[in-house]
């Protein structure tokens, strides 16, 4: 046994194991920070971890049977003892291991520094702040979840149009779906003074929405209302709720010169088109499989078929097609990217001031054309049009950092974390 361990040491197996482990850990850490910039799904990182674990024993076997020489990898048994460079190779491995560990430690410390420095827990909670918790699906049918989620997202978007009102983003607020925490705990975790919660029930040609504005500190109700309306009045109902909440918080609409009104509704007012759009959004937000994007594209296509001037649905379809195309390569990928280009161009033609259309164009330029300068310009325009869209602000910050201007990226990311404090991906940027 002693001879066996001596041989493992002589053949640099222990060093190879340390080098492989350190390199794999560093790769995973870099992936978790870089991949969100390209909106790459989390399952890709999981597969990298799995591949690293599976590859570990193979790396050890390779280091046992092979030796790295100036001529490349050679079987250890075929190398003369006089030609062996195991010891020099071991010293080189030591240097590489130290270098990787230093990088790993720096990265770890940087992450911890950013987390503690930028974490919103210490930020004072302003009175005009609100989190829209996901409306519960009172109907109970799982296939109706997309509808209640869509209405919740629409309220977040609508309230974000008001100046001086801090509105928590979907990613953070939706983490409290069916939460057992009390209002004070949720408000503290999200850094807001108010919570908007409620339920939705849709049945045939009618919709019932119960909404309640709560003071997070003590759980008292500041405003509540129950609505029973015909389904055809859905958009008017959404406006009524938004206006009531804004009035309760004494918020005023944005009037910035560069900002433009942003909403998810079809210009024709077609509820079937809006319903198809919400189904596409629900599938896109899941981003679990390639099939989700394929189904989302079909839903968006149904939406624009019902309303050919539905710019928001074209933009969303362009997003989904860009992500979907990234699953493929060669001619097939280019064909899907071409379809995305058509969708996005249509959205921009129908509504040049639609921020998400410019964001979709930026993503396509980065993914399909590797035109990062063009992508940065499109993200800049998107944020001008929708300064409160957290995803666009964060994407622009990432792009600025990629262009060697991290100072211009830090403050937007900090601002985004204030309104999306539980978005783990942004803490590593």
């Amino acid at each position: 046994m002693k001879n066996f361990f001596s041989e493992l040491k002589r053949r640099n197996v222990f060093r190879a194991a340390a080098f492989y482990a350190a390199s794999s850990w560093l790769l995973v850490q870099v992936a978790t920070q870089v991949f969100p910039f390209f909106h790459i799904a989390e399952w890709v990182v999981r597969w990298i971890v799995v591949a690293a674990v599976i590859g570990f024993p193979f790396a050890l076997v390779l280091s046992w049977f092979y030796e790295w020489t100036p001529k490349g990898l050679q079987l250890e048994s075929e190398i003369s003892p006089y030609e062996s460079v195991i010891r020099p190779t071991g010293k080189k491995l030591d240097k590489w291991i130290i270098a990787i560990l230093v990088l790993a430690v720096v990265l770890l410390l940087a992450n911890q520094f950013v987390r503690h420095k930028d974490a919103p827990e210490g930020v004072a909670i302003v009175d005009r702040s609100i989190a829209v918790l996901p409306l519960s699906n009172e109907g109970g049918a799982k296939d109706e979840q997309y509808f209640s989620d869509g209405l919740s997202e629409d309220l977040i978007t609508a309230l974000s149009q008001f100046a001086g009102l801090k509105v928590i983003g979907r990613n953070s607020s939706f983490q409290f779906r069916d939460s057992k925490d009390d209002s004070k705990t949720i408000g503290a975790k999200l850094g807001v003074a108010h919570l908007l919660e409620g339920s939705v029930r849709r049945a045939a040609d009618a919709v019932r929405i119960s909404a309640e504005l709560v003071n997070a500190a003590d759980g008292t109700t500041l405003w509540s209302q129950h609505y029973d309306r015909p389904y055809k009045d859905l958009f008017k109902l959404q406006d009524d709720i938004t206006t009531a909440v804004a009035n309760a918080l004494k918020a005023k609409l944005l009037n910035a010169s560069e900002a433009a009104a942003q909403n998810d509704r079809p210009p024709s007012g077609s509820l079937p088109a809006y319903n198809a759009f919400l189904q596409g959004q629900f599938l896109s937000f899941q981003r679990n499989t390639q099939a989700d994007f394929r189904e989302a594209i079909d839903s968006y296509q149904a939406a624009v078929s019902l309303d050919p001037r539905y710019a928001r649905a074209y933009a969303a379809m362009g997003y989904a097609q860009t992500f979907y195309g990234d699953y493929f390569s060669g001619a097939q990928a280019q064909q899907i990217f071409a379809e995305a280009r058509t969708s996005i161009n249509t959205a921009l033609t129908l509504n040049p001031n639609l921020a998400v259309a410019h964001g979709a164009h930026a993503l396509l330029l980065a993914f399909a054309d590797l035109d990062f300068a063009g992508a940065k310009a499109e993200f800049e325009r998107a944020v001008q049009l929708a300064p409160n869209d957290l995803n666009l602000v964060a994407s622009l910050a990432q792009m600025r950092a990629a262009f060697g201007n991290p100072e211009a990226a830090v403050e937007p990311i900090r601002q985004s974390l204030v309104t999306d404090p539980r978005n783990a991906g942004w803490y590593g940027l």
Side-chain angles (χ1 to χ4, degrees):
M1 181 62 71
K2 183 177 180 181
N3 290 337
F4 175 68
F5 280 104
S6 298
E7 190 65 14
L8 286 174
K9 184 177 180 180
R10 188 187 72 82
R11 298 191 185 203
N12 290 322
V13 175
F14 292 127
R15 288 188 174 96
F19 178 77
Y20 185 92
S23 300
S24 298
W25 186 89
L26 186 61
L27 174 63
V28 171
Q29 294 303 310
V30 171
T32 57
Q33 295 189 42
V34 175
F35 283 14
F37 170 73
F38 293 103
H39 300 276
I40 298 174
E42 290 183 2
W43 63 263
V44 178
V45 178
R46 289 196 291 270
W47 275 111
I48 290 176
V49 175
V50 171
V53 173
I54 293 174
F56 184 69
F58 291 96
L60 297 186
V61 170
L62 191 70
S63 64
W64 173 268
F65 287 105
Y66 286 87
E67 179 181 338
W68 185 262
T69 72
K71 298 178 181 179
L73 280 177
Q74 291 184 279
L75 279 170
E76 193 272 343
S77 59
E78 296 177 354
I79 302 174
S80 166
Y82 301 103
E83 298 176 344
S84 177
V85 289
I86 281 181
R87 290 186 180 278
T89 299
K91 292 181 179 179
K92 290 180 181 179
L93 277 174
D94 287 340
K95 293 179 181 179
W96 277 107
I97 292 169
I98 292 171
I100 291 174
L101 288 176
V102 168
L103 285 173
V105 170
V106 169
L107 185 61
L108 183 62
L109 291 175
N111 280 343
Q112 292 298 318
F113 174 76
V114 171
R115 286 173 190 263
H116 287 294
K117 186 174 182 179
D118 295 338
E121 285 81 357
V123 177
I125 296 178
V126 297
D127 186 57
R128 291 185 185 179
S129 55
I130 186 171
V132 179
L133 303 184
L135 300 175
S136 62
N137 175 25
E138 198 174 83
K142 189 175 181 180
D143 59 358
E144 285 290 310
Q145 185 69 57
Y146 78 90
F147 185 72
S148 57
D149 280 4
L151 296 188
S152 305
E153 292 159 22
D154 187 85
L155 287 170
I156 292 172
T157 301
L159 289 170
S160 297
Q161 308 293 312
F162 289 84
L165 181 60
K166 171 185 170 183
V167 183
I168 297 300
R170 178 192 192 279
N171 181 77
S172 291
S173 63
F174 271 47
Q175 291 184 30
F176 291 92
R177 186 195 302 276
D178 301 324
S179 174
K180 303 301 182 184
D181 292 336
D182 59 25
S183 62
K184 184 176 182 179
T185 301
I186 295 175
K189 289 181 177 179
L190 293 175
V192 293
H194 303 94
L195 303 175
L196 181 64
E197 52 192 24
S199 62
V200 179
R201 177 191 290 272
R202 186 174 65 161
D205 295 328
V207 60
R208 170 180 291 177
I209 297 181
S210 296
E212 183 179 21
L213 183 65
V214 175
N215 184 323
D218 57 17
T220 57
T221 299
L222 303 178
W223 166 87
S224 68
Q225 188 68 48
H226 298 281
Y227 300 89
D228 285 289
R229 300 279 181 86
Y231 180 54
K232 63 183 179 65
D233 292 339
L234 178 65
F235 296 144
K236 176 65 167 57
L237 174 54
Q238 289 174 319
D239 289 341
D240 288 346
I241 296 173
T242 301
T243 301
V245 173
N247 286 339
L249 298 177
K250 299 179 180 179
K252 296 180 179 180
L253 280 169
L254 283 169
N255 57 6
S257 59
E258 291 289 347
Q262 309 288 323
N263 67 66
D264 294 342
R265 302 174 186 178
S268 67
S270 168
L271 285 170
Y274 181 65
N275 190 68
F277 170 80
L278 292 184
Q279 289 177 321
Q281 290 291 88
F282 183 75
L283 291 163
S284 291
F285 274 118
Q286 292 189 98
R287 291 183 182 178
N288 291 327
T289 66
Q290 176 181 331
D292 286 335
F293 284 116
R294 180 64 266 171
E295 291 182 44
I297 292 168
D298 292 339
S299 294
Y300 294 133
Q301 186 61 60
V304 299
S305 296
L306 292 164
D307 185 348
R309 298 189 62 77
Y310 200 170
R312 181 66 181 86
Y314 276 113
M317 183 159 60
Y319 262 116
Q321 288 167 327
T322 301
F323 285 122
Y324 184 62
D326 200 48
Y327 281 93
F328 302 92
S329 60
Q332 190 172 9
Q334 292 307 312
Q335 174 60 34
I336 299 171
F337 286 145
E339 294 170 2
R341 204 177 308 277
T342 299
S343 299
I344 294 167
N345 287 339
T346 303
L348 289 170
T349 299
L350 291 170
N351 186 354
N353 291 326
L354 184 60
V356 291
H358 288 278
H361 191 205
L363 189 72
L364 180 66
L365 289 171
F367 273 42
D369 304 334
L370 301 181
D371 180 4
F372 299 108
K376 179 175 176 291
E378 280 292 79
F379 277 131
E380 296 274 7
R381 179 56 180 154
V383 171
Q384 283 180 343
L385 293 168
N388 288 340
D389 189 311
L390 305 182
N391 290 321
L392 293 176
V393 171
S395 295
L396 174 58
Q398 292 169 342
M399 191 63 78
R400 286 174 175 172
F403 271 78
N405 191 8
E407 294 82 5
V410 171
E411 189 55 33
I413 288 294
R414 285 179 177 167
Q415 293 175 2
S416 296
L417 283 169
V418 169
T419 44
D420 202 355
R422 300 181 72 81
N423 192 327
W426 291 353
Y427 282 99
L429 297 177

